[in-house]
Amino acid sequence: MGMEIKITALSKRYAKERIALHDINLTIGKGLFGLLGPNGAGKSTLMQIMATVMSPTSGQVEYGAYRIGKDNHQIRQLLGYMPQKLGLYEKLTGEEFLNYIALLKGMKDPVARRLKVRELLEKVNLGDKAKRKIKTYSGGMKQRIGIAQALIGDPQVMIVDEPTAGLDPKERIRFRDLLEELGLERTILLSTHIVADIETSCSGLAVMNQGELVYQGTIPRLIEKVNGKVWTGQIHAEDVHTLVHKSSIVSRRRTAEGYDIRMVADSAPFHGAVLAQPGLEDAYILLTGSGSHA
Ligand code: ADP
């Protein structure tokens, strides 16, 4: 299972607005694929087009031999989509909700449906919460029930839009583990603005910024781009204003004497700065000028 998705020269312009997507060319293969970018980069727009819920201004998305616009019906059969704001039916229990969605997706046999719903509840670790109303679920539990509904019909491709927003660190890790496991047997496209969400697990990565694709490839190859360019050191509080290229600051932590700084620069950006082991967050700052730190 899992199939290749090919995006060619895809652009989207909202009425009277600036361009949300500009000439995106991207191939997504089997496994867990990360789509990383700051808010407003165009991730959600791209995913809505891929899920056939919105049309592009120009360009093409192909799922194997199927094309959006022409074969939407077939594409929806092989796709599970978890939008950013999932309209959950808060008054239903987790079990009732999944049963309802399974019915909508055409699972007519009640026995098969009940078995499937049970299997999915176990898969997303909500077996013991099946009879509780969704409105009593935590953020992480709601996201997991969202994944369960996207899994009905065993889709080969899953599109998951910013699922970790609002989750606490523990829930975030559990959710990432679930996606990683699901990615073993299908194509999963995961969007996020948080570098840590994709750091360990993704087989491929694309980075978007202001409607453009600014990187496509593996995580190690991206990190190589900042080799020899990541600096750490201490700076006195009164010297902080002398730092140029503040957009390339990765982290800044107040200490008794001043600040611990980590930044990306071609040469030592301040007196006493030493080279550090580069990571994905550093490369992301270089590409987008926007950290996922506050
Ligand atoms: P992301 O998911 O990366 O945060 P979006 O795809 O939501 O980015 O947004 C990309 C750009 O398109 C932003 O500038 C946003 O304001 C704009 N945009 C998104 N949806 C609409 C819409 N329905 N109408 C007009 N502009 C929109």
Side-chain angles (χ1 to χ4, degrees):
M1 288 247 284
M3 71 185 317
E4 194 172 89
I5 309 167
K6 195 163 169 238
I7 300 168
T8 315
L10 196 73
S11 292
K12 175 73 183 181
R13 183 194 293 268
Y14 289 107
K16 293 190 198 126
E17 295 286 331
R18 69 191 168 93
I19 295 169
L21 290 179
H22 179 68
D23 193 24
I24 304 291
N25 294 282
L26 178 62
T27 301
I28 298 164
K30 194 185 155 200
L32 179 56
F33 190 95
L35 181 63
L36 181 64
N39 287 331
K43 305 181 297 295
S44 195
T45 299
L46 176 61
M47 290 185 142
Q48 288 174 65
I49 292 170
M50 293 177 71
T52 74
V53 297
M54 189 165 67
S55 301
T57 305
S58 59
Q60 195 47 253
V61 181
E62 289 159 273
Y63 290 81
Y66 298 131
R67 292 167 154 244
I68 58 158
K70 189 167 134 279
D71 311 304
N72 284 357
H73 180 71
Q74 289 90 331
I75 289 171
R76 285 173 195 156
Q77 299 290 314
L78 57 86
L79 198 73
Y81 173 44
M82 186 169 151
Q84 212 166 31
K85 288 206 173 54
L86 187 68
L88 281 179
Y89 297 75
E90 300 257 323
K91 284 187 181 153
L92 299 183
T93 66
E95 188 173 37
E96 287 165 346
F97 172 65
L98 291 186
N99 188 54
Y100 172 67
I101 299 292
L103 202 57
L104 284 185
K105 289 199 181 174
M107 286 190 76
K108 293 206 175 67
D109 176 13
V111 177
R113 206 166 60 229
R114 199 174 312 131
L115 284 174
K116 188 73 197 174
V117 166
R118 266 285 132 198
E119 178 201 319
L120 289 174
L121 284 165
E122 294 301 330
K123 185 153 208 142
V124 298
N125 213 356
L126 286 172
D128 57 338
K129 306 290 188 311
K131 309 274 186 215
R132 280 178 49 185
K133 288 200 162 88
I134 290 176
K135 68 176 170 207
T136 69
Y137 284 10
S138 71
M141 286 158 65
K142 283 182 183 173
Q143 297 301 64
R144 281 184 275 139
I145 202 88
I147 284 290
Q149 66 82 29
L151 277 167
I152 294 171
D154 287 324
Q156 290 184 57
V157 178
M158 284 182 68
I159 294 178
V160 191
D161 196 357
E162 292 258 6
T164 61
L167 300 192
D168 67 38
K170 232 163 128 188
E171 286 179 325
R172 177 165 278 151
I173 290 166
R174 190 184 301 171
F175 193 78
R176 197 171 60 191
D177 289 348
L178 172 64
L179 289 181
E180 208 172 321
E181 182 201 322
L182 294 172
L184 294 177
E185 36 192 67
R186 43 180 82 67
T187 302
I188 298 193
L189 180 60
L190 161 72
S191 81
T192 182
H193 65 279
I194 297 157
V195 171
D197 277 349
I198 57 154
E199 207 145 22
T200 51
S201 45
C202 289
S203 49
L205 171 71
V207 182
M208 287 182 68
N209 194 31
Q210 298 185 349
E212 312 228 2
L213 194 72
V214 290
Y215 179 77
Q216 170 179 7
T218 64
I219 293 172
R221 203 166 61 87
L222 178 55
I223 294 174
E224 265 173 40
K225 287 182 190 286
V226 281
N227 224 341
K229 293 185 181 178
V230 181
W231 303 85
T232 56
Q234 280 222 336
I235 188 163
H236 284 291
E238 61 266 27
D239 294 336
V240 128
H241 67 277
T242 63
L243 277 182
V244 285
H245 305 306
K246 289 199 176 60
S247 68
S248 56
I249 294 176
V250 182
S251 65
R252 191 173 92 157
R253 199 170 55 84
R254 193 86 170 100
T255 62
E257 299 83 36
Y259 292 94
D260 272 344
I261 304 268
R262 181 181 182 96
M263 65 188 293
V264 181
D266 287 332
S267 56
F270 53 88
H271 184 69
V274 293
L275 278 173
Q277 183 78 20
L280 186 56
E281 178 93 39
D282 306 312
Y284 179 62
I285 300 279
L286 184 72
L287 283 179
T288 65
S290 54
S292 53
H293 64 290

